Amino acid sequence: MIGHNPGHVVTQGQIISGHFKQSGYPVTTASSHPNRYVRLADIAATIIRKRKEIDILIVHVYSGASFVVEDIASFLGKLFGLRMIMFLHGGGMPEFMRKYPNWARRVLARADAIIAPSPYLAKAVEPYGFNATIIPNVISLARYPYRHRRQLRPHLFWMRSFHEAWNPLMAVRVLARLRERIPNATLAMAGQDKGLQIEAQKLAEALGVGDAVRFAGFLDMAGKVREGEQADIFINTNRIDNMPIAVVEACAMGMPVVATEVGGIPDLLTNGQTALLVPDEDEERMVEAILALLNDPDLAGRLSVNGRNLAEQSSWEQVKLKWEAIFQRILP
């Protein structure tokens, strides 16, 4: 479970473990080291050292190179006869399982229970013979002040990592097109730089909107609230996705969301009710959706209220009961 490091996104592993501790559960976490190989060594050593104290081993499962970590952690869990829950994450997981079906099936078969944060990932494991229980990702709802929005200002907010998968350049192009019709439109972009922030800044200058885009950097909780209070519309430009916490956070604060209809987004958001969904890479459709929100207070108000209701499903009070039902099912 990484996320303890400044400048890194706080993971669901860290968030959930913190809530369990506050609820009275004895919890051991591993590992907070950002280097994958050091993290693997710490995880393996922790499982070996604590094997007689562990009632349930929760393995957070991601695709890509980190799947090696999950393979070894779950192998050790199985070796020591530990009850094991695997919690799936990431919009790239379905493609990864299609590419490595035997590997995925072998690792997931070790679990006593599989949890997915969205129907998207739950459906992804069904072809391999597994059933996943859907438990949403958690946010600390009380930390996100809700502001009902009807009469919107053209102030956009984008918050993901500056990485090709999250498509930050599309957000800049959307603003440039929007300003052709609404010259005072602005965009705040926030998140960890994973190689594309400088390119996004250069694109903003090239398109003549450099003075209208503000790069806020990586945000802590106070920063998210500050930027959320200043913005009125959240845009999500991802090429792949599962159940993005950034979108749920925006909904919690009452910002109407306009998102690309990719991955698990259609399972999380309902077009016209909790968000407006547009095709992947379709900048013009996203601009049209933003204009619809700006010109229709009833639509904006409906998305604002429904978004907050959606976020409330991710409160710890609701999520905890679902986790505890899994505990009761798999423990002797």
Side-chain angles (χ1 to χ4, degrees):
M1 307 174 190
I2 61 171
H4 296 270
N5 305 285
H8 287 260
V9 175
V10 178
T11 65
Q12 278 296 297
Q14 182 185 356
I15 294 170
I16 291 172
S17 64
H19 281 299
F20 278 134
K21 287 179 181 178
Q22 292 172 7
S23 298
Y25 287 88
V27 178
T28 298
T29 59
S31 166
S32 63
H33 202 285
N35 181 279
R36 182 179 293 113
Y37 304 105
V38 177
R39 192 162 69 247
L40 171 58
D42 186 19
I43 290 170
T46 301
I47 294 173
I48 294 169
R49 187 175 65 253
K50 298 276 189 177
R51 63 188 183 276
K52 294 183 179 180
E53 303 173 27
I54 296 172
D55 295 304
I56 298 175
L57 177 65
I58 301 175
V59 181
H60 292 262
V61 180
Y62 295 84
S63 59
S66 69
F67 201 72
V68 175
V69 178
E70 288 108 54
D71 189 353
I72 294 174
S74 60
F75 172 80
L76 291 172
K78 197 70 174 179
L79 178 67
F80 297 132
L82 303 177
R83 301 284 172 158
M84 196 163 8
I85 296 174
M86 294 190 181
F87 193 8
L88 307 178
H89 297 283
M93 181 61 68
E95 177 60 30
F96 180 82
M97 289 190 291
R98 283 191 291 269
K99 189 174 182 180
Y100 304 104
N102 294 332
W103 188 16
R105 190 178 289 110
R106 173 168 55 83
V107 171
L108 294 178
R110 298 168 182 157
D112 295 285
I114 297 174
I115 292 174
S118 68
Y120 175 65
L121 288 188
K123 289 183 288 189
V125 299
E126 290 177 356
Y128 306 94
F130 303 107
N131 292 316
T133 300
I134 299 171
I135 301 182
N137 287 331
V138 179
I139 66 170
S140 300
L141 196 64
R143 304 178 72 182
Y144 297 89
Y146 173 74
R147 174 165 64 86
H148 181 61
R149 290 163 169 86
R150 274 180 52 84
Q151 295 285 354
L152 304 183
R153 303 161 300 167
H155 298 337
L156 312 182
F157 184 28
W158 180 97
M159 183 175 63
R160 299 305 290 267
S161 296
F162 284 82
H163 183 277
E164 183 178 348
W166 315 140
N167 204 1
L169 303 185
M170 178 180 174
V172 177
R173 292 193 293 266
V174 165
L175 177 71
R177 285 179 177 240
L178 182 62
R179 280 175 65 89
E180 292 173 0
R181 304 175 216 191
I182 304 181
N184 65 331
T186 63
L187 170 65
M189 302 189 72
Q192 185 179 355
D193 183 15
K194 293 192 174 181
L196 282 183
Q197 182 169 326
I198 291 178
E199 188 172 345
Q201 292 170 327
K202 290 180 178 178
L203 179 62
E205 293 295 336
L207 295 177
V209 295
D211 60 338
V213 183
R214 182 167 50 82
F215 294 87
F218 182 83
L219 299 177
D220 58 12
M221 189 65 231
K224 291 179 184 179
V225 172
R226 181 185 65 249
E227 295 295 336
E229 288 177 340
Q230 294 177 11
D232 270 356
I233 299 173
F234 187 87
I235 60 172
N236 192 68
T237 55
N238 286 21
R239 292 190 172 104
I240 61 171
D241 228 327
N242 174 32
M243 182 193 172
I245 284 296
V247 170
V248 180
E249 290 174 322
C251 289
M253 290 187 279
M255 277 181 280
V257 172
V258 180
T260 47
E261 193 173 11
V262 299
I265 289 293
D267 293 309
L268 174 66
L269 303 171
T270 302
N271 188 37
Q273 295 300 317
T274 52
L276 296 182
L277 304 182
V278 303
D280 184 25
E281 286 281 11
D282 196 328
E283 297 154 17
E284 185 57 33
R285 289 282 295 276
M286 184 165 280
V287 170
E288 290 173 0
I290 293 169
L291 291 171
L293 287 171
L294 293 171
N295 294 324
D296 189 342
D298 290 337
L299 173 63
R302 181 170 71 248
L303 266 57
S304 182
V305 170
N306 291 345
R308 176 68 181 195
N309 292 338
L310 172 69
E312 288 175 355
Q313 298 175 22
S314 292
S315 69
W316 177 242
E317 290 73 21
Q318 295 199 37
V319 169
K320 176 188 174 185
L321 298 176
K322 297 179 180 180
W323 274 97
E324 290 181 330
I326 298 292
F327 294 167
Q328 292 170 8
R329 191 183 72 184
I330 70 171
L331 284 175

